Amino acid sequence: MIMIWAAVALGASSVSAVAQSQCGKAAIRLATHDLPPYQMIEFGEGDEPTLTGIAVDRVTCALVKMECAYEITLGDPKAGPRGTRAGDYDGNFPASLNEDRAKYSKPSAPIIFENRYWYLMKGSKIDPNDPADFLKARYSAKFTTSKWRFLMKKGYNVVMRPQNAKSLLDMLYRGDVDVGLEYEAIFEHYIKAKGLRLDQFEKILQKANKNMSVHFADKYLDAHPNFLSRFNENVLNCMEPPG
């Protein structure tokens, strides 16, 4: 399913000269995917869908401050990076920096600061950071992600192919896997959504402060050389707590 949200800060025929110098007359086209609590669809009164979440709110806050028109498409996780590379989108989010993305885009200032944890059922004696336990237990992470590739590269005993964090949690809770690797906010969102308690799980830090950003297409930034610095300035302001 693909859903598109569009907003024009000052109206289609009233974009200021400052906004034009930063982001042009046309709406900036961004892609994202369903990944609570970063970005997700919520239904309000009349079952009208709304795109919301930590990452969405910070990105749109910055664009509104810049008076930029924007269009956000929520679709398949792979479509955003692929479309940004192909020129269908001007950027996608949220994502961490890697060699492939660096070939066609540049990251913004981080919009998500996240810790990555090993999750185990309460009482587990496994230490996923100890090489002696790499083959003693069954490990998993979302299939084909950087987390999955990390497990494979380091020689963990990787089993199952969960398509998302919810599936990974289900596998851990059923006993199909012994250890799951996921970002804290994502996994704990699903723990609570499933009606479970956080104290039913053990969690061990795997990597602190894994940053994720908006990755803007080089072609867009070449055409709008003032955009990235102004976006970074505004998105940092949008992350400050109120008051």
Side-chain angles (χ1 to χ4, degrees), residues 3-6 30-32 51 56 59-60 70-74 93:
M3 303 185 77
I4 299 174
W5 281 261
L30 300 176
T32 190
L51 181 63
V56 168
V59 170
T60 55
Y70 62 85
E71 178 182 283
I72 299 178
T73 301
L74 182 121
F93 70 94

Side-chain angles (χ1 to χ4, degrees), residues 1 13 15 22 47 70 73 86 102 108 126 145 155 170 200 202 209 211 220 228 243:
M1 177 178 64
S13 61
V15 179
Q22 295 173 159
D47 291 332
Y70 62 85
T73 301
S108 70
I126 299 164
T145 61
D170 290 342
Q200 292 178 259
E202 307 273 2
N209 295 327
N211 300 337
Y220 181 84
L228 187 57

